[in-house]
Amino acid sequence: MSESLPFQPDAAVGAREGELRAFLLRFIGLTLLSGVTIGMNKVLATLLGLHLHVSNFQLAAISSAETLAMALGTIPAGYILSRGNPKHLYAGVSLSLALAFCVLPWLPGWQWVALLMFLVGLCISLRIVAMSTVFLVRLPELGQGKAGWYKGTLILGMQFLGPLCGNYLIAQLGLKAGFLISALMFAILAVLGWQVLPDNTAPRKQAGHSTLPGAASLRELLRLPIVRVTYLFEILASFTASSVGVFSILLAIRVLRWPAHHSVWLMAVQGLSCVLVLLFLGRFVLASRYREQLYGGAHLAIMAALLILGLWPSSIAYLGASVLLGLGLGVNNLVNTDNIARAPVDKARVSAHLTLFGMVGGTAGALAAGRLADLTGLRNVFLIWLFPWLAAWLVFHGSRWLRRSPPAAIPSLAPTAESAP
């Protein structure tokens, strides 16, 4: 028996790596299917409104009801998750969503559709916060190279695969059948979530590392410099991405004179660039000795994209700006996600805050861009957006780059060595 003792540590390491690999594959599968379902439902809800012959205002009310509920539900969701069971909550709200989508296509009027979509938004906010919290808790074990996998997979499902599936299902089977298939997918997600998600959101204890309580209240969180920086740049990124996302199609049609069926490519190029960074460049960016320079460079790339969109109206320039914007937003999210995963904070609360900031920033960015476009012209909106980015860059990057000082260390609750699944 004594001869087998030296092999026990290797066996334990192998078992741990196997468990991490299995968790990552199941979690990413759950995320992709969740993103596809959300993307499908955006198409289904819009077409349901048109099927009911609603006005533009009524269609906007149906769409905004879900978004408003998601924003209102994020902070309570973080509070509930910090004290509840992610597995039970995710499965419960997924089954509730399955029931809601069975009922939606048979509702008699747009008011009932808007009300039910509000309830759907509350459920979705809890699902999103649950998944992002679990990912942040496990990221130190998974390794820095996986920091962008959650959001990259979610974007891939929401912005590409989901809308394509929604259009195909409606074309082949009809609107009501599309809702029933969506309900079935929510039921499948409930079962998968039960299998994949843990019973709590507490950081996992590892040998030689004690688990310390993390900052939870907003006041405590904002005392941490890394949290303040992350929150600021996540808000700016959501603000900018939503503005460009809403108006890139108009830019393509009105400025570049592209056919309507080609105009989506500006948005598609930006999204694909961001997804590629999130899925494949995590280790390169986060393990680099020039990580802080890459972070600041990503924000410069976003500013360059805004400058191009405002000043050089040509197809090649706009496609290049879309690539720059996608790359910049991708690196920004990679660093922000890794910073929060390694910081001594309550992950459920921070997940709720980031989700809320993303929704509020996205909604405010689109509304503000629309108002400014009416007042100053569409292209000038992107030049106006340069100013908050430039101010933030000078405050958080400019002085450091001028001094060429090394980046400050981030407090860690867990080891950051790669455990590649």
Side-chain angles (χ1 to χ4, degrees):
M1 292 182 61
S2 61
E3 293 181 357
S4 64
L5 290 177
F7 295 95
Q8 288 179 353
D10 292 338
V13 170
R16 178 172 172 272
E17 290 183 352
E19 187 272 333
L20 286 173
R21 184 183 298 111
F23 166 78
L24 182 64
L25 291 176
R26 293 196 301 266
F27 185 86
I28 291 303
L30 181 68
T31 303
L32 182 61
L33 184 59
S34 180
V36 169
T37 307
I38 294 172
M40 278 180 51
N41 294 338
K42 289 292 185 183
V43 176
L44 290 170
T46 300
L47 293 180
L48 176 60
L50 296 176
H51 176 73
L52 295 173
H53 305 291
V54 299
S55 66
N56 289 333
F57 171 78
Q58 292 166 348
L59 185 61
I62 291 172
S63 177
S64 61
E66 181 183 2
T67 304
L68 175 63
M70 290 171 69
L72 293 175
T74 50
I75 299 302
Y79 181 85
I80 293 169
L81 280 164
S82 65
R83 290 161 174 76
N85 187 315
K87 178 189 295 187
H88 294 168
L89 293 168
Y90 186 92
V93 297
S94 294
L95 290 175
S96 300
L97 287 168
L99 178 62
F101 275 81
C102 285
V103 174
L104 263 172
W106 279 271
L107 293 176
W110 72 269
Q111 300 94 330
W112 295 104
V113 173
L115 177 60
L116 192 53
M117 290 304 294
F118 183 86
L119 298 177
V120 165
L122 291 177
C123 292
I124 289 178
S125 67
L126 201 149
R127 280 163 37 96
I128 291 174
V129 175
M131 293 192 66
S132 62
T133 300
V134 170
F135 185 72
L136 285 173
V137 169
R138 297 300 300 269
L139 184 57
E141 299 174 83
L142 296 170
Q144 292 177 322
K146 310 301 185 295
W149 282 35
Y150 168 66
K151 187 163 186 177
T153 307
L154 193 63
I155 291 173
L156 185 63
M158 289 174 58
Q159 296 188 5
F160 298 99
L161 299 180
L164 290 177
C165 291
N167 284 330
Y168 178 80
L169 287 174
I170 294 168
Q172 299 297 319
L173 303 175
L175 185 61
K176 291 183 177 178
F179 274 98
L180 292 177
I181 292 174
S182 181
L184 176 62
M185 292 178 68
F186 276 121
I188 293 172
L189 283 168
V191 176
L192 292 177
W194 187 273
Q195 298 294 322
V196 174
L197 299 180
D199 292 322
N200 59 72
T201 58
R204 292 162 63 92
K205 294 181 180 180
Q206 300 180 36
H209 293 268
S210 59
T211 301
L212 300 174
S217 71
L218 184 60
R219 179 176 296 180
E220 290 176 332
L221 290 167
L222 292 179
R223 288 193 185 119
L224 300 175
I226 199 66
V227 173
R228 292 199 300 268
V229 173
T230 298
Y231 280 11
L232 173 65
F233 284 115
E234 279 295 302
I235 292 171
L236 283 176
S238 299
F239 208 81
T240 304
S242 69
S243 302
V244 177
V246 168
F247 293 104
S248 60
I249 293 177
L250 287 180
L251 281 174
I253 294 174
R254 294 180 181 177
V255 178
L256 300 180
R257 307 297 180 186
W258 286 8
H261 61 282
H262 289 164
S263 60
V264 73
W265 277 105
L266 282 182
M267 186 187 300
V269 167
Q270 175 199 327
L272 284 173
S273 301
C274 184
V275 168
L276 289 174
V277 171
L278 292 171
L279 293 182
F280 300 111
L281 294 184
R283 182 178 301 182
F284 170 79
V285 172
L286 299 176
S288 171
R289 60 181 296 188
Y290 302 107
R291 166 183 168 134
E292 286 301 314
Q293 287 85 344
L294 290 171
Y295 189 45
H299 299 151
L300 286 176
I302 293 171
M303 288 189 279
L306 293 172
L307 192 65
I308 292 171
L309 291 171
L311 295 181
W312 290 284
S314 72
S315 296
I316 294 177
Y318 276 14
L319 286 170
S322 297
V323 172
L324 281 175
L325 186 61
L327 294 176
L329 292 173
V331 172
N332 177 73
N333 184 258
L334 277 176
V335 177
N336 290 340
T337 301
D338 186 63
N339 286 346
I340 292 300
R342 296 164 56 200
V345 296
D346 184 317
K347 302 299 189 286
R349 297 292 183 88
V350 173
S351 295
H353 291 157
L354 291 176
T355 303
L356 175 63
F357 294 156
M359 292 173 186
V360 173
T363 303
L367 293 175
R371 182 60 177 162
L372 288 171
D374 291 337
L375 295 174
T376 66
L378 184 58
R379 287 164 52 196
N380 291 329
V381 172
F382 304 106
L383 299 178
I384 294 172
W385 273 192
L386 276 172
F387 291 101
W389 275 105
L390 183 59
W393 193 94
L394 290 174
V395 170
F396 291 102
H397 296 301
S399 58
R400 176 178 293 168
W401 281 29
L402 288 174
R403 294 194 308 266
R404 296 185 179 181
S405 61
I410 300 169
S412 177
L413 289 178
T416 58
E418 285 288 332
S419 299

